Amino acid sequence: AVLVESLLVFTMVLLVHAVVWDRFSWCAVALAIQAFYVQFKWDRLLQLGGAVFQFRGAANSGLLPASMVMPLLGVVMKERCRAAGIVYFERFGIVVASTGMLLALFLSVLAVGITKPVPTNTCILTGIAGSVIIYTMKHSLTVSEVIEVLEVLLIFVYLSMILLYLLPRCFTPGEALLVLGGVSFVLNQLIKRSLNVIEGRGDPIDFFLLVAVVGVILLGLFFTVLFIFMDSCTWISSMFFHMMTAVLGLGVIMPWLYRLIHRNPLFWLLQFLFQTQTRLYLLVYWTFLAASACGVVFYQNTKRSSESKKHQASTITRKYFHFIVVATYVPGLIYDRQLLYIAAVLCLAVFIFLEYVRYFRIKPFGQTLRHLLSLFLDERDSGPLILTHIYLLLGMSLPVWLFPRSCAPKGTLPGAGALVPYSGVLAVGVGDTIASVFGSTMGEIKWPGTKKTFEGTMTAIFAQIIAVALILIFDSSVNLNSSYAWILASVSLVSLLEAYTTQIDNLLLPLYLQIMLMA
């Protein structure tokens, strides 16, 4: 299974390389080769329990698929913005690619360094790949860009040491690279933009995303340290939690946003949300869907109470939420992507805040949330945090957030790139959902080395093709320009990756589909 997963990632790397064909795509190929070898060292460390931190069990290290996401995303973003003539974002794509490569190299060197005896061949391969990447960075990056890349690496190192210690068994090494690398990059971007604020420069919704992500992460770190010294389950601690959340929100996050967007954030948000009648209709519709999702949770818990204490939600029941998320995102993508962007940011902040309430058992809802959500746990929620619903939201939202709007003058990219914002809907909302439902109910032929079925994968590919046809009918901004073969190949590769990967598919699949469609 690991070999097939690696082969699929290699195929996507080579396809992107064939389209782009520059020094950075060559570096991506070199990085993929060395990550393939180092991945087995990580797997061995995980099996022997010598991986320094406690990582999520029942999964391989996932180093290769995770290592290639940021570099490939940066490479294709650079190429799209170069074609559009937007130099600033072309350089930004180069910084993203360089940062991703350096973070992946750091994780590789760490694995090689703690492996005993020292693997000579892997050391040589890592050294060669590292030399090629550093040489390319030396001749491609300015001094300020080099400093920016090193800042992200420094933040990543400290953030990894803190969070992997505080949150054992929540991530595999690959997932830690993907999640913590992304958070480190966002934090560095926020610091950089806060120090270089120019009035009128930058889109307020981008600043809203940066401040919201960094704000909730800092909030979690603050309370994690605080509750080491005091019991979080008491009413006094709970009152202090809510009070400090309000203080940090109104005293730190709001002024920070005000400095960036030069207007009152609350007034700006209210004006933004109720700007048009379409937005009012969408907000009412989304409120109804949110209530429906809560209804599913309460109904399933009622069944558990009446049937058995050990009752767990089935795969099909969990996929109800995928259908609800698809019904949420598709109208937003068609009618108002900026509203969807902001709504997804707010929803992410709420999800993470509620997870803090559950994790710390904050009164009055902490224990209730713990009881309600325990019904939907699966083998991937082996650590103290429940992250699958947050990963689902991220998988649907990242293609919307990472879409290079400035490099798409008409609001959409040409060819297959027009489907980039729909990557989460296609890969997770349609593909993963259909594969799970049909695979678990009608699947008989299993892919070698996995529990996934041939029927589930084929049905997922067919369903995504139908979804693309429906998008073409209902979204007039999408024009594929006869790039159907590339779309079919992209959907097929990502669906096969879903069958073979043991990583969090809700997070990984949309990013790879976005990379392929942008290429």
Side-chain angles (χ1 to χ4, degrees), residues 452-474:
K452 306 295 178 66
T453 64
F454 173 82
E455 293 89 345
T457 303
M458 292 301 108
T459 311
I461 295 171
F462 184 63
Q464 288 175 81
I465 297 303
I466 293 175
V468 170
L470 292 173
I471 291 168
L472 277 171
I473 293 170
F474 290 103

Side-chain angles (χ1 to χ4, degrees), residues 53-129:
F53 298 106
Q54 295 183 57
F55 291 101
R56 184 167 67 84
N60 64 358
S61 64
L63 185 66
L64 174 58
S67 294
M68 300 316 301
V69 169
M70 274 185 75
L72 291 180
L73 195 60
V75 167
V76 295
M77 186 184 297
K78 171 188 72 69
E79 195 65 15
R80 284 289 187 177
C81 294
R82 184 192 63 78
I86 311 296
V87 177
Y88 176 82
F89 284 99
E90 181 185 351
R91 300 302 304 175
F92 182 75
I94 291 174
V95 171
V96 171
S98 302
T99 302
M101 291 177 189
L102 200 62
L103 294 181
L105 275 177
F106 170 76
L107 213 58
S108 298
V109 171
L110 180 64
V112 170
I114 60 178
T115 300
K116 303 297 179 185
V118 176
T120 308
N121 294 338
T122 308
C123 280
I124 294 171
L125 196 62
T126 302
I128 293 171

Side-chain angles (χ1 to χ4, degrees), residues 77 80-81 84 86 89 92 193 202-209 268 272 336-342 345 397-413 420-421 514 518:
M77 186 184 297
R80 284 289 187 177
C81 294
I86 311 296
F89 284 99
F92 182 75
R193 297 189 188 193
D203 194 330
I205 67 172
D206 291 329
F207 292 134
F208 202 84
L209 172 63
W268 173 83
F272 178 86
D336 198 327
R337 292 182 185 179
Q338 284 199 327
L339 178 64
L340 180 64
Y341 188 113
I342 288 293
V345 172
S397 303
L398 282 172
V400 179
W401 294 340
L402 298 176
F403 180 74
R405 299 189 308 279
S406 300
C407 303
K410 296 180 181 179
T412 184
L413 295 172
V420 165
Q514 176 174 7
M518 279 182 68

Side-chain angles (χ1 to χ4, degrees), residues 13-14 24 44 54 119 131 136 146 148 242 274 280 287 310 318 325 333 374 378-379 398 427 490 495 502 505 511 518:
V13 171
L14 291 174
F24 281 97
R44 182 170 175 78
Q54 295 183 57
S131 301
T136 302
V146 170
E148 187 176 345
H242 295 301
F274 302 109
L280 283 173
T287 303
K310 297 181 180 179
R318 284 199 293 268
V325 169
L333 287 167
S374 64
D378 61 14
E379 69 277 359
L398 282 172
S490 303
S495 296
T502 56
D505 49 9
L511 290 171
M518 279 182 68

